Amino acid sequence: MGILDLGRYKGIVFAITGFLVFIAIILAVNHGKAGGFSDNVAGVRFLENQAVLPHAVYDASVQLAQRLQNGEKVDDALESLRKAATTFDRSLNSLANGGMITDSSGDIIVLPSMTEPEAVAQLKNGSKLWDGYKAKLDPILRFSGSPYVTAQPAPAPAPAPAPAANGKNAAPAVAAPPPAAPTIQLSPRGRRLQTALTDLTQYGNTVHGQLSKVLTDLSIQVEANSRKQTDTLRYIQVGGMAAALLLLGAIFLFFTRNLRKEEASANRQRKETQDILRTVNEGLFLLDKDLKLGSERSMALNNIFRREEFLDLTFDKLLKDIVPEKTLRTAMDYVALLWGERVNEKLVKTINPLNEVEVHFDNPAGGFDTHFLEFDFNRVKSEGSLSHLLVTVNDVTKRVMLSRELQESQEKAQAQLDLLLRILHVEPDSLTSFLTDADVSLKMVNSILKEPAREESAFRAKIDGIYRQVHAVKGEAAALGLKTVEQRAHAFEESLNDLKGRQSLSGSDFLPLVVKLDDLFNHLAQVREMLSRLVDLHHAIATRRTAGSEVGAEKVDQWLAGQDQTQITKAIIPPPDLGETTGAVGGLERTLEDLAARVASSQSKQVNLRCAGLEGVPESYRRAVKDITIQLVRNAVVHGIEEPGERAKANKAAAGALAVEFTPRGTDGYELIVQDDGRGLQLERIKEVAVERGLITPAQAALLDPRQTMALIFRPGFSTADRVTTDAGRGAGMDLVRILVAELGGRVGLASAGGKFSKFKIWLPATQSAVAA
C-alpha cells in the first residue's frame, strides 16, 4: 500500500516513523561507539603485552651469550631469540600500518588513535630504535650450526715401574689419574657469533627499555582516547533520551487530539449501525478467522436462535446443540474452505451445505421444535485481504414445509405412475411369484423381530436373519426393475447396517425397523392392487375384443383416475400377451436378462446372457435357485465383466459373455453353473480388502493359498466395491448364496483365472434328499 493511501492515519504514521528512525539512529551510534570501546580495550591489552617483548629479546640475547661462553648448546636460546624478535617486529609493523592488530582470537582490530600525530611520532621513534636493534640482531638470527670445535684429549701419564721380585727397593703404588675432558673451543664462526652477541647485549642494554616505554606510552594514549569516547557517548545518550521524550510527548498530544475526533465519529457510526441491526429481519453477524462471532449483530438473531447471550461464542458452539454432529462437521469444513485465498466464492456458494439446514430447539413441554435455517456467507475483504465472513441467517421453515409438501405430492404421483408403467412391462406370473415370495420373506422378518432376545449374540443373529430376507427381496425387485421396492429394501439395509456398526444393542434399537417393514408391506400391497387392476383391465379389453368391439379410452381414464392417459396407453399397447403364462422358469430367464441389462447399463458395460436348463428346476428349489442366480448374475456384471475399453485392450469382445446353466444329474442331484469371461478374481485385491475390513490379519493373508483366498468372498460383509450402491458394496450377496446352498445341503465350487473367467459351480442334492434334509 502506498504512503498516499493512508488517509487520516498519515500523520500518525509519519510521527511514529520519525520517532522510530530517531531511536534507530541513537541505537546505531551507541552500537558503533560500544564497538570502539571493545577495540580500545583489546588494543590496551595488546600494547601492554607487547611492552614486555623488548625485555624478552634482550634477556634471550644475554642467555645466548652466557650459553656460548659456557660451551653449552645454543639452539634453544637462539630459537627463543628469533621468536621474540619476530613477534615484536610483526607487532610494531602492525601498529605503524594504521593501527591494525590481530587479537588472540585471530580477529583484526583497528586502533584509530594510532594515526594521531603524537602516536605516529612515538611509533616512528620506536621503529628507528628497532631498526638499529634489528641490524645488531640480523647476523645472530641468521646463524646456524654449531659454534664449537672439540680438541683431542691430553696424553695419559707413564705407568709406574713394576716392583722388584724380592720386594726390595719397590716404589710405592700410585693410582692413575682420570682421563682429561675434551677441551671446548670456539670455531671461527663461533667467535664471530660471540662478537656479535657482545655488541648486541651492549646495544640492547640501553635500547630495550626505550622500546618498552614507547609501547607503554601508546597504551596510555589509547586508554585516554577511550575515556574521551566514553564521555562523548554519554552526552549523545543524554541528548538522545531528552529528544526522544520530547518527540514522544508531541506524538502523544497529537494522538490524543485525533483519538477524540475518531471516538466521536465512531460513536455516531456505532449508533447508526445499531439502529440498522435492530431493524432488519435477517440474522446478521461477522465471523473472524478463529470462527468467533463479532460483537455487532442484528437483534433478529436472538429470535432465530432463541438465545440472548452471544459474547465470545464461536460458530461451532452456536450450532452444536441444534444440528447433528455430521452436519456440524460438514459446516465447519465448508466455513474453513471459505477462508482460502484462492477460493472462487461464487463456485463455493453452490455447494453450501447450510443453504437449508434442519435444526432442533428445546421447547418448554420437554420436546423439541424443528425449524429450517438458511445460511449465506459473504467474504469481507479489508485492504485487499480477507478479514471476516459476513453471515446472513433466515428462518425458512414455512417455505421448506410448503416445498416439501408439494414435492412429496409430486413424487407420490410420479412414483405411482412409474410403478404402474413398470408393472406393465413385467410378466404377470413373474410379478405374482415375486409378490408371493416377498410376502413370505417379510413375514419371516416380522417373526424374527418378534423373537425375544436379551444377549448381544441373539441381537446380532436377528440382524443377520433379517438381512438375508431383505436382501433377497431387494435382489428380485432389482431383477424385475421394481425401483420403488428396491429403494425401500435398500433403505431397510441401511438401517440394518447402522445397527451392525453399534457397539451394543437393545430391543429398542429394532423399533425403527418395524416402521420400515410396515412401509414395505404397504407398498407391496399397493403393487398387488395395481396388478389386480391391470389383470381386470386386460380381461375387460380381451372380452370386448372377443365381442368384436373396442374399449373406449374414457373407460381407461376412469379406471386410472387421473393418471397420464398418453403414457399409460403407450405402455399397454406393446405387450399384447400380458395375460399369457410363460411359466415360472421362463419368467426367471427373462428376469435374469432384464437384471443383467439394467446392471450393465448402470455400470457402463455390455453383456450377453445365455440361460439353459432353467425349465428343469424342481419346484422345491425354485425360490432358492432364483435367489442364487440373481445374486451371481449381478455379482458377475458388477465385479467380473470389464468395461468395453478394458476388454478391447485384452483382445476381448466389447460385450461380456455370461452363462447360467441348470443341469439334472440323476441320483447325484443337480448342477447349477454361472460363468463369465470377465477379469476373474483378483486374489491380491481380495486379500487387501479382507485385511482392511478386519476379516483376517496381514500375517494370515500372507499364508493363504489361492483356494483359501477365493473362499474369502463368501465371508459376511466382504466386498471389493469402492462404495455402497443398490447393486453392490455391502458384502451380503455371496454370503446369501453360501447360506442358501448350505440350507439345501449342497456345496459350492469356484474356479477363476486372472483376466479370463470366473466360474461358480453349485451342486444340489436330489429332491428327496433335500426334503429329508
Side-chain angles (χ1 to χ4, degrees), residues 452-503:
R454 295 183 179 276
E455 298 179 355
E456 187 71 22
S457 58
F459 288 126
R460 299 292 175 184
K462 290 178 70 171
I463 292 177
D464 293 338
I466 295 172
Y467 207 105
R468 287 176 47 203
Q469 300 299 329
V470 174
H471 195 74
V473 173
K474 172 187 169 182
E476 191 170 358
L480 295 176
L482 298 177
K483 196 68 176 179
T484 55
V485 180
E486 181 187 9
Q487 290 174 344
R488 284 171 169 78
H490 186 72
F492 205 121
E493 286 184 340
E494 290 282 354
S495 300
L496 289 170
N497 194 60
D498 178 63
L499 293 181
K500 280 185 176 182
R502 298 187 183 182
Q503 296 291 336

Side-chain angles (χ1 to χ4, degrees), residues 624-750:
V625 169
K626 178 176 66 175
D627 290 342
I628 291 172
T629 53
I630 286 175
Q631 297 300 331
L632 291 180
V633 167
R634 179 162 52 188
N635 189 73
V637 177
V638 173
H639 298 290
I641 301 298
E642 310 95 326
E643 294 182 357
E646 184 178 349
R647 291 181 65 84
K649 293 179 180 179
N651 297 322
K652 297 181 180 180
L658 179 60
V660 178
E661 299 177 0
F662 187 86
T663 306
R665 296 298 184 187
T667 57
D668 292 334
Y670 304 91
E671 184 179 82
L672 174 63
I673 296 177
V674 179
Q675 181 174 347
D676 67 79
D677 68 341
R679 62 172 59 92
L681 296 182
Q682 309 297 310
L683 301 185
E684 293 302 321
R685 174 61 178 162
I686 291 175
K687 290 181 181 180
E688 179 183 344
V689 172
V691 172
E692 289 176 357
R693 299 190 176 230
L695 300 178
I696 58 175
T697 64
Q700 292 172 332
L703 298 176
L704 293 180
D705 59 27
R707 180 179 178 184
Q708 294 170 326
T709 302
M710 289 190 290
L712 291 173
I713 68 173
F714 295 99
R715 292 278 190 98
F718 180 87
S719 175
T720 57
D722 296 330
R723 59 188 180 89
V724 176
T725 64
T726 55
D727 293 320
R730 297 206 182 279
M734 300 309 299
D735 180 44
L736 178 61
V737 171
R738 177 184 61 82
I739 293 174
L740 289 173
V741 173
E743 289 179 346
L744 296 176
R747 63 185 188 276
V748 181
L750 174 57

